[in-house]
Amino acid sequence: MYEFYDKDSLREYRNTLKDQNRRVALVPTMGALHEGHASLITHAHTLADEVIVSIFLNPLQFGPNEDFKRYPKPLDDDKQYCKDLAVSALFLPSNDIIYPPDAVFTNVTVPSLSSLYCGQSRPNFFSGVTNVVLRLLNLIDPDSVIFGEKDYQQYIIIKSCIESLFLPTKIYCSPIIRNQQGIALSSRNRYLSKQDRHDAASIFQSLCKVKDAVQSGILDATELTAVLKKSLSPNITIDYIAFVDEKSLTPVTMIRSGNRVLFAGTLNKTRLIDTFELTFS
Ligand code: AMP
């Protein structure tokens, strides 16, 4: 597995792959890899000949009181994890590579979608994400890029960005990987105590209740919000519960098959997000 720390060596590698007609898939991450990332990498292998994983803890997507400093950085484990998953190359840029201090900063944002839901309590988060992802896409020029369904709003925002800026990269969404309790895997789950994990599992249980309610014919978003709240642990502070159109992220009042529920909350300062697709016949 190659490791690249600067953009020239990465570009040289990328150009060689182009000359060889090798298809490239990119999996962008912030490290502290887990089985959720692994499933994206496995998905990437089905789309391309070479899989590149980037690990970059992007300061722009953290707020001033968020966990940038304490975010886990098990780099040696991450490298081994990628090797075991037959990753072709790791891109490990420093902050100055992604945001050169001597360059004029260009800001990439999708304002209409970035201010919704997670964007309400994390005002700079999505512009941080779009800024880093666009830079990675321009540096690597992958044929495909894979994002997780867990961060569904992020996926839709990047998809919009790729479409509106006419980027040639195809974007894919990979299903959420959960632990046995149903908790969506996340690098931040390392912060959770045993009791927190018990409480966090109530998110999955409540979302299952919502899914069952929809399948039994309850389609009103207000009623479904009450269903979700009823089985959620009281230790979780709800940030938002949103029932949305799966393409535009516009709120819906009556569910149509294929719409989504988006959830975010905090548990002892740890932010947890989840989502379900709501289908019925
Ligand atoms: P992160 O390292 O948290 O920025 O995540 C990198 C990518 O992994 C994003 O596209 C996430 O949506 C995706 N991801 C994170 N957790 C999961 C999970 N439990 N299942 C599937 N994908 C995930």
Side-chain angles (χ1 to χ4, degrees):
M1 184 178 73
Y2 295 100
E3 288 176 23
F4 298 108
Y5 293 83
D6 66 281
K7 59 181 192 324
D8 292 340
S9 57
L10 175 77
R11 279 239 166 96
E12 200 181 313
Y13 170 69
R14 181 62 186 106
N15 288 338
T16 310
L17 295 179
K18 265 193 192 144
D19 292 344
Q20 296 168 348
N21 275 329
R22 307 285 288 167
R23 288 169 308 160
V24 168
L26 170 67
V27 178
T29 81
M30 296 202 300
L33 304 180
H34 50 67
E35 286 168 55
H37 299 109
S39 81
L40 267 54
I41 293 170
T42 305
H43 188 169
H45 278 299
T46 68
L47 301 168
D49 307 303
E50 312 285 346
V51 174
I52 301 180
V53 172
S54 62
I55 298 182
F56 178 62
L57 194 55
N58 178 28
L60 289 197
Q61 67 190 71
F62 287 79
N65 298 318
E66 293 183 359
D67 55 344
F68 179 66
K69 287 223 167 91
R70 72 164 177 149
Y71 199 87
K73 299 171 194 71
L75 188 56
D76 290 340
D77 292 349
D78 285 351
K79 286 182 183 175
Q80 190 57 48
Y81 202 64
C82 287
K83 260 187 209 159
D84 294 345
L85 289 164
V87 167
S88 309
L90 258 183
F91 182 42
L92 302 154
S94 66
N95 197 51
D96 286 1
I97 296 289
I98 297 295
Y99 306 113
D102 52 352
V104 176
F105 184 76
T106 298
N107 196 13
V108 184
T109 59
V110 185
S112 60
L113 297 177
S114 296
S115 54
L116 304 171
Y117 316 121
C118 281
Q120 296 244 303
S121 51
R122 307 183 78 192
N124 299 319
F125 174 67
F126 287 116
S127 75
V129 170
T130 44
N131 271 293
V132 71
V133 171
L134 255 285
R135 282 160 174 79
L136 290 170
L137 292 178
N138 282 330
L139 279 172
I140 299 172
D141 188 20
D143 299 284
S144 46
V145 65
I146 300 93
F147 288 92
E149 177 196 5
K150 179 169 77 78
D151 301 87
Y152 192 77
Q153 187 180 2
Q154 168 175 280
Y155 161 68
I156 292 293
I157 288 175
I158 294 165
K159 188 171 183 296
S160 309
C161 210
I162 286 178
E163 284 167 6
S164 62
L165 297 177
F166 310 118
L167 296 190
T169 303
K170 284 208 169 76
I171 180 166
Y172 294 85
C173 185
S174 252
I176 300 179
I177 304 299
R178 301 176 180 280
N179 73 6
Q180 280 187 335
Q181 296 165 284
I183 304 172
L185 297 186
S186 161
S187 308
R188 291 191 166 97
N189 290 355
R190 296 168 193 226
Y191 306 147
L192 300 176
S193 67
K194 199 169 169 208
Q195 175 60 42
D196 289 342
R197 284 170 195 269
H198 176 78
D199 293 330
S202 74
I203 299 172
F204 177 71
Q205 289 149 12
S206 320
L207 291 173
C208 287
K209 292 261 162 60
V210 168
K211 194 172 184 173
D212 292 347
V214 167
Q215 279 166 0
S216 74
I218 300 174
L219 301 178
D220 182 284
T222 311
E223 276 182 68
L224 293 168
T225 302
V227 169
L228 200 162
K229 282 184 176 168
K230 203 170 157 198
S231 28
L232 198 66
S233 160
N235 295 330
I236 295 176
T237 308
I238 298 171
D239 182 10
Y240 63 82
I241 296 168
F243 290 87
V244 304
D245 179 87
E246 64 280 15
K247 292 202 173 86
S248 64
L249 299 183
T250 314
V252 293
T253 48
M254 291 298 279
I255 305 297
R256 274 181 309 96
S257 187
N259 287 164
R260 279 194 166 263
V261 52
L262 308 178
F263 173 87
T266 48
L267 180 56
N268 285 331
K269 294 196 185 145
T270 300
R271 189 175 172 81
L272 300 167
I273 62 170
D274 208 330
T275 177
F276 265 31
E277 185 184 23
L278 301 171
T279 50
F280 57 92
S281 44

